[in-house]
Amino acid sequence: MLYPQSNLYRQTIELADFWDFCFDPNDVGIQNGWQKGFTDARPIAVPASWNDQFEDGRDFLGPAWYQTSFDLPWSWDEKRIVLRFGSVNYLAEVWLNGQSLGSHEGGHLPFEFDATSWVKQSGNLLVVRVDGRLAFDHVPPGNVTGDAADFFASHAGNFPQAQFDFFPYCGIQRPVMLYATSQNYLRDIAVDTQFQDLLGKIHVRVERVGEASGIARFHLLGYGHHSTREIPLSNESVEVDIDVPSVMLWSPKNPNLYDLSVELVRNGNVIDAYTLKVGVRTIEIVGDQLLLNDEPIYLNGFGRHEDFPVVGRGYLPALIVKDYALMQWIGANSFRTSHYPYSEQMLDLADQLGILVIDETPAVGLYFREDGLEKRGALCQQYVREMIARDKNHPSVIMWSVANEPHSTPPHTRPFFEELYHEAKTLDSTRPVTLVSFLGAGEEAFAFYDLICLNRYLGWYVGPGKLDEALSTLSVELDSLHEKFNKPILLAEFGADAIPGHHAQPPEMFSEEYQTELIVRYIELLRQKSYVVGEHIWNMCDFKTSQGVTRAGALNYKGVFTRDRRPKLAAHRVRELWQKNT
Ligand code: BDP
């Protein structure tokens, strides 16, 4: 899936504005668009979650209605016009001028509709129904009852009743865009890259729609290199291998990016074009090592969230810049998009700045009660497909994570995760695929995933306050996990809550000192294990979650930065360690 782009052959507008909005607590519903009976429409900012924008809607999860009107820019006649949503959480239904365009399930991933037949030059009315209510057959799940709820001991009874530990923000959370292309257009571009000595190779596959006459032209530009290739069109897809002599590889130290422009040309005229940033790099697991460009790489960084006051999980460009500035300040080289794919812009900047990303689907808190299992399985597959379709061309993305902490003890979870693994590998054989688990040796899926990602809270939830015990248990467990599965291990989560400004000597739980000591001692231990390929602290920043007795102020305080991005004591100590290692 190509992100909308403006150039001589494509044009994009963003419907970012104040839209009309109303809650529909009784699920009155509408027919063919905005319900006339809703008299209490109020302005809402798009994109942003709705929960923190009003005084009466924080815990209301839907359904709700959005409406806006727009005119087209001039010169869009004869064009194919597409309406694209970057992320709507959780269920979206869309009408344009009274016509249903379709629906989408699942937040954090884009979807689009061909609106050509329904859009007018002026006076268009766009209506979106959003339903973020939690349900047992959603992914991620919520409001689970019965036995399955017992699995979620730490979240049980929290309000809202999410089966995951972050606030279930709802709404239109990323940009809504309209874009125009010609009727013959580039549908998709996929690159994968290799190199041998100084010779880089970029394999490009282009999918296009429209008449089969003409050529596809490829320009590669950067670092003194400029080459052009032309391939005659015959099928719906075209492939080419481009050689890059004296290649400048992409890496965290040197995030070199080439410009690849693809043009569709007929009778000498360009009819569509798209430019993609391409980083030439390889990533693979060999033995106990993670190799980037054939060199071992150690991941130090964080699990994170897209989360900020007022906007919730809404797209906030300044926050993206700030978070990368903090990552660079502290010396992080990587993060995981826990527990859902982050914005495309977050990945664009990771490409530019040389940050390594483990890209994770929204499959968090999965449980395996029979009812709804088939639907949840289909959704997990859909998320894997949508995430890879969206993010496959980012050099910064070094790995796919199909799920976080599934409750995968029953036997039928094995085929479930085998299928997800194969889905990811079939779509992209160039990246390792992982699954993040708290089960340890009991996680059968570790047998066939490429890397072991383990979450551990010893000294916190398990053995609170007992750090010596925590460290020796962890050490033994890591060794036996490695012995059992014979794969490299990333400690994908570890940490402790610290209330900013709360101090204790000797350190005790919830103090900045205890968080610091726990993190530093974990890191020191991890560095002694040759098969450990990384440490991701949970979490980079404090973040909002449901209300419950373990979450003071409805915040998870495991950030080494506060929610407003101020360093805690741990941040300074981690910085000393990470700066030394980079
Ligand atoms: C882990 C989850 C993460 C939570 C964390 C915690 O993966 O989402 O926020 O625990 O409890 O199990 O802080």
Side-chain angles (χ1 to χ4, degrees), residues 20-43 60 62-67 95 127-130:
D20 294 329
F21 179 77
C22 65
F23 294 127
D24 183 7
N26 301 319
D27 204 358
V28 174
I30 56 155
Q31 283 173 356
N32 300 328
W34 188 256
Q35 163 68 270
K36 298 271 183 306
F38 288 137
T39 48
D40 58 344
R42 48 178 118 178
F60 182 74
W65 295 86
Y66 286 78
Q67 174 181 273
W95 291 262
V127 174
V128 186
R129 177 185 188 268
V130 183

mmCIF file of all heavy atoms in Angstrom, residues 20-43 60 62-67 95 127-130:
data_model
loop_
_atom_site.group_PDB
_atom_site.id
_atom_site.type_symbol
_atom_site.label_atom_id
_atom_site.label_comp_id
_atom_site.label_asym_id
_atom_site.label_seq_id
_atom_site.Cartn_x
_atom_site.Cartn_y
_atom_site.Cartn_z
ATOM 1 N N ASP A 20 -17.857 17.851 12.765
ATOM 2 C CA ASP A 20 -19.010 17.754 13.665
ATOM 3 C C ASP A 20 -18.987 16.371 14.289
ATOM 4 O O ASP A 20 -18.649 15.379 13.625
ATOM 5 C CB ASP A 20 -20.328 17.888 12.896
ATOM 6 C CG ASP A 20 -20.500 19.268 12.306
ATOM 7 O OD1 ASP A 20 -19.991 20.229 12.911
ATOM 8 O OD2 ASP A 20 -21.134 19.361 11.239
ATOM 9 N N PHE A 21 -19.439 16.321 15.539
ATOM 10 C CA PHE A 21 -19.302 15.060 16.256
ATOM 11 C C PHE A 21 -20.451 14.899 17.232
ATOM 12 O O PHE A 21 -20.937 15.887 17.806
ATOM 13 C CB PHE A 21 -17.980 15.101 17.036
ATOM 14 C CG PHE A 21 -17.694 13.892 17.856
ATOM 15 C CD1 PHE A 21 -17.245 12.728 17.261
ATOM 16 C CD2 PHE A 21 -17.866 13.917 19.238
ATOM 17 C CE1 PHE A 21 -16.953 11.608 18.036
ATOM 18 C CE2 PHE A 21 -17.584 12.803 20.007
ATOM 19 C CZ PHE A 21 -17.131 11.639 19.408
ATOM 20 N N CYS A 22 -20.918 13.698 17.415
ATOM 21 C CA CYS A 22 -21.826 13.449 18.545
ATOM 22 C C CYS A 22 -21.735 12.009 19.017
ATOM 23 O O CYS A 22 -21.404 11.108 18.248
ATOM 24 C CB CYS A 22 -23.257 13.820 18.213
ATOM 25 S SG CYS A 22 -23.958 12.813 16.953
ATOM 26 N N PHE A 23 -21.997 11.839 20.304
ATOM 27 C CA PHE A 23 -22.079 10.489 20.862
ATOM 28 C C PHE A 23 -23.462 9.921 20.549
ATOM 29 O O PHE A 23 -24.425 10.657 20.420
ATOM 30 C CB PHE A 23 -21.890 10.539 22.387
ATOM 31 C CG PHE A 23 -20.515 10.977 22.806
ATOM 32 C CD1 PHE A 23 -20.342 12.026 23.710
ATOM 33 C CD2 PHE A 23 -19.388 10.347 22.308
ATOM 34 C CE1 PHE A 23 -19.068 12.429 24.100
ATOM 35 C CE2 PHE A 23 -18.105 10.737 22.697
ATOM 36 C CZ PHE A 23 -17.959 11.784 23.593
ATOM 37 N N ASP A 24 -23.524 8.622 20.476
ATOM 38 C CA ASP A 24 -24.797 7.946 20.203
ATOM 39 C C ASP A 24 -24.983 6.835 21.248
ATOM 40 O O ASP A 24 -24.962 5.649 20.918
ATOM 41 C CB ASP A 24 -24.743 7.366 18.772
ATOM 42 C CG ASP A 24 -26.038 6.698 18.353
ATOM 43 O OD1 ASP A 24 -27.031 6.789 19.087
ATOM 44 O OD2 ASP A 24 -26.028 6.061 17.277
ATOM 45 N N PRO A 25 -25.140 7.227 22.518
ATOM 46 C CA PRO A 25 -25.110 6.235 23.595
ATOM 47 C C PRO A 25 -26.186 5.172 23.458
ATOM 48 O O PRO A 25 -26.006 4.040 23.918
ATOM 49 C CB PRO A 25 -25.310 7.067 24.868
ATOM 50 C CG PRO A 25 -25.752 8.401 24.423
ATOM 51 C CD PRO A 25 -25.342 8.592 23.009
ATOM 52 N N ASN A 26 -27.293 5.523 22.838
ATOM 53 C CA ASN A 26 -28.361 4.523 22.692
ATOM 54 C C ASN A 26 -28.285 3.777 21.378
ATOM 55 O O ASN A 26 -29.192 3.038 21.023
ATOM 56 C CB ASN A 26 -29.734 5.192 22.837
ATOM 57 C CG ASN A 26 -29.844 5.860 24.181
ATOM 58 O OD1 ASN A 26 -29.400 5.292 25.189
ATOM 59 N ND2 ASN A 26 -30.364 7.078 24.207
ATOM 60 N N ASP A 27 -27.208 3.992 20.662
ATOM 61 C CA ASP A 27 -27.005 3.314 19.389
ATOM 62 C C ASP A 27 -28.240 3.455 18.497
ATOM 63 O O ASP A 27 -28.770 2.491 17.964
ATOM 64 C CB ASP A 27 -26.689 1.826 19.640
ATOM 65 C CG ASP A 27 -25.926 1.222 18.471
ATOM 66 O OD1 ASP A 27 -25.697 1.945 17.481
ATOM 67 O OD2 ASP A 27 -25.591 0.040 18.545
ATOM 68 N N VAL A 28 -28.674 4.693 18.369
ATOM 69 C CA VAL A 28 -29.873 4.981 17.577
ATOM 70 C C VAL A 28 -29.632 4.641 16.116
ATOM 71 O O VAL A 28 -30.511 4.141 15.418
ATOM 72 C CB VAL A 28 -30.244 6.482 17.709
ATOM 73 C CG1 VAL A 28 -31.385 6.835 16.776
ATOM 74 C CG2 VAL A 28 -30.596 6.799 19.145
ATOM 75 N N GLY A 29 -28.418 4.895 15.653
ATOM 76 C CA GLY A 29 -28.077 4.561 14.271
ATOM 77 C C GLY A 29 -28.626 5.581 13.307
ATOM 78 O O GLY A 29 -29.330 6.512 13.682
ATOM 79 N N ILE A 30 -28.313 5.399 12.062
ATOM 80 C CA ILE A 30 -28.735 6.346 11.044
ATOM 81 C C ILE A 30 -29.022 5.584 9.771
ATOM 82 O O ILE A 30 -28.727 4.404 9.661
ATOM 83 C CB ILE A 30 -27.634 7.370 10.725
ATOM 84 C CG1 ILE A 30 -26.366 6.632 10.310
ATOM 85 C CG2 ILE A 30 -27.422 8.323 11.839
ATOM 86 C CD1 ILE A 30 -25.511 7.488 9.456
ATOM 87 N N GLN A 31 -29.566 6.287 8.837
ATOM 88 C CA GLN A 31 -29.697 5.697 7.515
ATOM 89 C C GLN A 31 -29.040 6.640 6.534
ATOM 90 O O GLN A 31 -29.322 7.833 6.550
ATOM 91 C CB GLN A 31 -31.167 5.521 7.167
ATOM 92 C CG GLN A 31 -31.729 4.318 7.891
ATOM 93 C CD GLN A 31 -33.215 4.209 7.696
ATOM 94 O OE1 GLN A 31 -33.832 5.064 7.078
ATOM 95 N NE2 GLN A 31 -33.784 3.140 8.211
ATOM 96 N N ASN A 32 -28.200 6.084 5.749
ATOM 97 C CA ASN A 32 -27.564 6.863 4.680
ATOM 98 C C ASN A 32 -26.885 8.134 5.148
ATOM 99 O O ASN A 32 -27.000 9.167 4.529
ATOM 100 C CB ASN A 32 -28.574 7.243 3.600
ATOM 101 C CG ASN A 32 -29.177 6.015 2.996
ATOM 102 O OD1 ASN A 32 -28.512 4.984 2.914
ATOM 103 N ND2 ASN A 32 -30.429 6.104 2.604
ATOM 104 N N GLY A 33 -26.231 8.088 6.245
ATOM 105 C CA GLY A 33 -25.471 9.271 6.611
ATOM 106 C C GLY A 33 -25.903 9.838 7.942
ATOM 107 O O GLY A 33 -26.449 9.155 8.787
ATOM 108 N N TRP A 34 -25.659 11.097 8.135
ATOM 109 C CA TRP A 34 -25.838 11.772 9.421
ATOM 110 C C TRP A 34 -27.285 11.689 9.889
ATOM 111 O O TRP A 34 -28.210 11.958 9.124
ATOM 112 C CB TRP A 34 -25.423 13.219 9.230
ATOM 113 C CG TRP A 34 -25.364 14.015 10.483
ATOM 114 C CD1 TRP A 34 -26.279 14.944 10.895
ATOM 115 C CD2 TRP A 34 -24.344 13.988 11.463
ATOM 116 N NE1 TRP A 34 -25.879 15.477 12.071
ATOM 117 C CE2 TRP A 34 -24.696 14.926 12.459
ATOM 118 C CE3 TRP A 34 -23.161 13.263 11.609
ATOM 119 C CZ2 TRP A 34 -23.915 15.156 13.566
ATOM 120 C CZ3 TRP A 34 -22.381 13.493 12.718
ATOM 121 C CH2 TRP A 34 -22.757 14.423 13.697
ATOM 122 N N GLN A 35 -27.464 11.346 11.123
ATOM 123 C CA GLN A 35 -28.798 11.266 11.709
ATOM 124 C C GLN A 35 -29.303 12.675 11.985
ATOM 125 O O GLN A 35 -28.740 13.402 12.789
ATOM 126 C CB GLN A 35 -28.683 10.444 12.994
ATOM 127 C CG GLN A 35 -29.827 10.568 13.957
ATOM 128 C CD GLN A 35 -31.080 9.954 13.398
ATOM 129 O OE1 GLN A 35 -31.848 10.650 12.731
ATOM 130 N NE2 GLN A 35 -31.279 8.682 13.622
ATOM 131 N N LYS A 36 -30.365 13.023 11.310
ATOM 132 C CA LYS A 36 -30.899 14.388 11.462
ATOM 133 C C LYS A 36 -31.266 14.675 12.915
ATOM 134 O O LYS A 36 -31.186 15.785 13.391
ATOM 135 C CB LYS A 36 -32.148 14.572 10.597
ATOM 136 C CG LYS A 36 -31.912 14.424 9.104
ATOM 137 C CD LYS A 36 -31.535 15.759 8.482
ATOM 138 C CE LYS A 36 -31.352 15.678 6.980
ATOM 139 N NZ LYS A 36 -30.399 14.651 6.552
ATOM 140 N N GLY A 37 -31.691 13.630 13.630
ATOM 141 C CA GLY A 37 -32.141 13.821 15.002
ATOM 142 C C GLY A 37 -31.036 14.216 15.968
ATOM 143 O O GLY A 37 -31.313 14.647 17.070
ATOM 144 N N PHE A 38 -29.789 14.081 15.581
ATOM 145 C CA PHE A 38 -28.712 14.454 16.493
ATOM 146 C C PHE A 38 -28.567 15.971 16.501
ATOM 147 O O PHE A 38 -27.978 16.568 15.611
ATOM 148 C CB PHE A 38 -27.387 13.836 16.049
ATOM 149 C CG PHE A 38 -27.314 12.361 16.276
ATOM 150 C CD1 PHE A 38 -26.776 11.524 15.310
ATOM 151 C CD2 PHE A 38 -27.757 11.804 17.460
ATOM 152 C CE1 PHE A 38 -26.686 10.160 15.521
ATOM 153 C CE2 PHE A 38 -27.668 10.434 17.674
ATOM 154 C CZ PHE A 38 -27.139 9.615 16.708
ATOM 155 N N THR A 39 -29.100 16.578 17.530
ATOM 156 C CA THR A 39 -29.054 18.042 17.544
ATOM 157 C C THR A 39 -27.852 18.537 18.343
ATOM 158 O O THR A 39 -27.515 19.704 18.305
ATOM 159 C CB THR A 39 -30.333 18.613 18.170
ATOM 160 O OG1 THR A 39 -30.549 17.901 19.393
ATOM 161 C CG2 THR A 39 -31.523 18.438 17.239
ATOM 162 N N ASP A 40 -27.239 17.625 19.066
ATOM 163 C CA ASP A 40 -26.179 18.087 19.961
ATOM 164 C C ASP A 40 -24.789 17.931 19.345
ATOM 165 O O ASP A 40 -23.832 17.655 20.042
ATOM 166 C CB ASP A 40 -26.254 17.341 21.294
ATOM 167 C CG ASP A 40 -26.138 15.838 21.111
ATOM 168 O OD1 ASP A 40 -26.308 15.378 19.959
ATOM 169 O OD2 ASP A 40 -25.885 15.137 22.101
ATOM 170 N N ALA A 41 -24.703 18.083 18.036
ATOM 171 C CA ALA A 41 -23.389 17.973 17.406
ATOM 172 C C ALA A 41 -22.459 19.050 17.949
ATOM 173 O O ALA A 41 -22.862 20.182 18.179
ATOM 174 C CB ALA A 41 -23.525 18.125 15.904
ATOM 175 N N ARG A 42 -21.212 18.666 18.148
ATOM 176 C CA ARG A 42 -20.227 19.612 18.681
ATOM 177 C C ARG A 42 -18.951 19.490 17.861
ATOM 178 O O ARG A 42 -18.731 18.453 17.218
ATOM 179 C CB ARG A 42 -19.939 19.293 20.137
ATOM 180 C CG ARG A 42 -19.679 17.817 20.343
ATOM 181 C CD ARG A 42 -19.335 17.480 21.773
ATOM 182 N NE ARG A 42 -20.285 16.574 22.384
ATOM 183 C CZ ARG A 42 -20.155 16.118 23.619
ATOM 184 N NH1 ARG A 42 -19.139 16.484 24.356
ATOM 185 N NH2 ARG A 42 -21.030 15.301 24.134
ATOM 186 N N PRO A 43 -18.112 20.491 17.898
ATOM 187 C CA PRO A 43 -16.877 20.386 17.122
ATOM 188 C C PRO A 43 -15.898 19.414 17.758
ATOM 189 O O PRO A 43 -15.818 19.329 18.990
ATOM 190 C CB PRO A 43 -16.315 21.806 17.146
ATOM 191 C CG PRO A 43 -17.090 22.566 18.149
ATOM 192 C CD PRO A 43 -18.268 21.775 18.581
ATOM 193 N N PHE A 60 -16.466 6.974 27.508
ATOM 194 C CA PHE A 60 -17.450 6.549 26.511
ATOM 195 C C PHE A 60 -16.701 5.994 25.306
ATOM 196 O O PHE A 60 -15.853 6.652 24.713
ATOM 197 C CB PHE A 60 -18.317 7.745 26.097
ATOM 198 C CG PHE A 60 -19.365 7.362 25.105
ATOM 199 C CD1 PHE A 60 -20.483 6.632 25.507
ATOM 200 C CD2 PHE A 60 -19.229 7.688 23.764
ATOM 201 C CE1 PHE A 60 -21.451 6.247 24.583
ATOM 202 C CE2 PHE A 60 -20.190 7.310 22.832
ATOM 203 C CZ PHE A 60 -21.300 6.589 23.248
ATOM 204 N N GLY A 62 -18.239 4.449 22.551
ATOM 205 C CA GLY A 62 -18.966 4.441 21.297
ATOM 206 C C GLY A 62 -20.341 3.822 21.452
ATOM 207 O O GLY A 62 -20.699 3.363 22.520
ATOM 208 N N PRO A 63 -21.109 3.872 20.366
ATOM 209 C CA PRO A 63 -20.745 4.459 19.074
ATOM 210 C C PRO A 63 -20.826 5.989 19.083
ATOM 211 O O PRO A 63 -21.461 6.576 19.936
ATOM 212 C CB PRO A 63 -21.792 3.868 18.117
ATOM 213 C CG PRO A 63 -22.919 3.424 18.979
ATOM 214 C CD PRO A 63 -22.409 3.207 20.361
ATOM 215 N N ALA A 64 -20.172 6.572 18.103
ATOM 216 C CA ALA A 64 -20.186 8.019 17.933
ATOM 217 C C ALA A 64 -20.134 8.325 16.435
ATOM 218 O O ALA A 64 -19.761 7.462 15.636
ATOM 219 C CB ALA A 64 -18.986 8.636 18.646
ATOM 220 N N TRP A 65 -20.536 9.544 16.114
ATOM 221 C CA TRP A 65 -20.621 9.937 14.695
ATOM 222 C C TRP A 65 -19.755 11.144 14.405
ATOM 223 O O TRP A 65 -19.726 12.095 15.179
ATOM 224 C CB TRP A 65 -22.082 10.268 14.356
ATOM 225 C CG TRP A 65 -22.967 9.065 14.451
ATOM 226 C CD1 TRP A 65 -23.586 8.600 15.571
ATOM 227 C CD2 TRP A 65 -23.294 8.169 13.396
ATOM 228 N NE1 TRP A 65 -24.282 7.454 15.283
ATOM 229 C CE2 TRP A 65 -24.129 7.170 13.949
ATOM 230 C CE3 TRP A 65 -22.975 8.105 12.045
ATOM 231 C CZ2 TRP A 65 -24.635 6.117 13.194
ATOM 232 C CZ3 TRP A 65 -23.493 7.062 11.288
ATOM 233 C CH2 TRP A 65 -24.309 6.080 11.864
ATOM 234 N N TYR A 66 -19.082 11.088 13.285
ATOM 235 C CA TYR A 66 -18.288 12.211 12.788
ATOM 236 C C TYR A 66 -18.880 12.643 11.453
ATOM 237 O O TYR A 66 -19.322 11.808 10.655
ATOM 238 C CB TYR A 66 -16.859 11.780 12.482
ATOM 239 C CG TYR A 66 -15.943 11.520 13.644
ATOM 240 C CD1 TYR A 66 -16.028 10.339 14.370
ATOM 241 C CD2 TYR A 66 -14.939 12.428 13.973
ATOM 242 C CE1 TYR A 66 -15.133 10.076 15.401
ATOM 243 C CE2 TYR A 66 -14.049 12.175 15.002
ATOM 244 C CZ TYR A 66 -14.151 11.000 15.720
ATOM 245 O OH TYR A 66 -13.269 10.742 16.730
ATOM 246 N N GLN A 67 -18.816 13.930 11.199
ATOM 247 C CA GLN A 67 -19.280 14.417 9.901
ATOM 248 C C GLN A 67 -18.452 15.615 9.476
ATOM 249 O O GLN A 67 -18.114 16.472 10.308
ATOM 250 C CB GLN A 67 -20.736 14.833 10.030
ATOM 251 C CG GLN A 67 -21.300 15.494 8.781
ATOM 252 C CD GLN A 67 -22.750 15.909 8.998
ATOM 253 O OE1 GLN A 67 -23.659 15.127 8.790
ATOM 254 N NE2 GLN A 67 -22.948 17.140 9.437
ATOM 255 N N TRP A 95 -19.761 6.743 5.049
ATOM 256 C CA TRP A 95 -20.700 7.126 3.999
ATOM 257 C C TRP A 95 -20.208 8.405 3.325
ATOM 258 O O TRP A 95 -19.729 9.308 4.002
ATOM 259 C CB TRP A 95 -22.080 7.439 4.572
ATOM 260 C CG TRP A 95 -22.827 6.273 5.116
ATOM 261 C CD1 TRP A 95 -23.805 5.545 4.494
ATOM 262 C CD2 TRP A 95 -22.706 5.706 6.431
ATOM 263 N NE1 TRP A 95 -24.286 4.559 5.330
ATOM 264 C CE2 TRP A 95 -23.625 4.633 6.526
ATOM 265 C CE3 TRP A 95 -21.906 5.989 7.536
ATOM 266 C CZ2 TRP A 95 -23.768 3.856 7.681
ATOM 267 C CZ3 TRP A 95 -22.042 5.226 8.685
ATOM 268 C CH2 TRP A 95 -22.953 4.163 8.751
ATOM 269 N N VAL A 127 -19.529 11.076 6.317
ATOM 270 C CA VAL A 127 -20.024 10.673 7.634
ATOM 271 C C VAL A 127 -19.319 9.391 8.058
ATOM 272 O O VAL A 127 -19.174 8.459 7.259
ATOM 273 C CB VAL A 127 -21.556 10.445 7.584
ATOM 274 C CG1 VAL A 127 -22.056 9.877 8.906
ATOM 275 C CG2 VAL A 127 -22.272 11.746 7.258
ATOM 276 N N VAL A 128 -18.875 9.366 9.292
ATOM 277 C CA VAL A 128 -18.177 8.169 9.784
ATOM 278 C C VAL A 128 -18.768 7.779 11.138
ATOM 279 O O VAL A 128 -18.865 8.619 12.051
ATOM 280 C CB VAL A 128 -16.664 8.429 9.956
ATOM 281 C CG1 VAL A 128 -15.939 7.140 10.320
ATOM 282 C CG2 VAL A 128 -16.058 9.026 8.692
ATOM 283 N N ARG A 129 -19.158 6.543 11.235
ATOM 284 C CA ARG A 129 -19.589 6.009 12.539
ATOM 285 C C ARG A 129 -18.408 5.253 13.132
ATOM 286 O O ARG A 129 -17.789 4.423 12.453
ATOM 287 C CB ARG A 129 -20.765 5.060 12.355
ATOM 288 C CG ARG A 129 -21.233 4.404 13.653
ATOM 289 C CD ARG A 129 -22.319 3.379 13.330
ATOM 290 N NE ARG A 129 -22.940 2.847 14.523
ATOM 291 C CZ ARG A 129 -22.560 1.757 15.165
ATOM 292 N NH1 ARG A 129 -21.505 1.069 14.746
ATOM 293 N NH2 ARG A 129 -23.200 1.332 16.228
ATOM 294 N N VAL A 130 -18.096 5.547 14.368
ATOM 295 C CA VAL A 130 -16.968 4.873 15.015
ATOM 296 C C VAL A 130 -17.471 4.187 16.285
ATOM 297 O O VAL A 130 -18.172 4.804 17.092
ATOM 298 C CB VAL A 130 -15.850 5.862 15.378
ATOM 299 C CG1 VAL A 130 -14.660 5.120 15.985
ATOM 300 C CG2 VAL A 130 -15.404 6.645 14.145
#
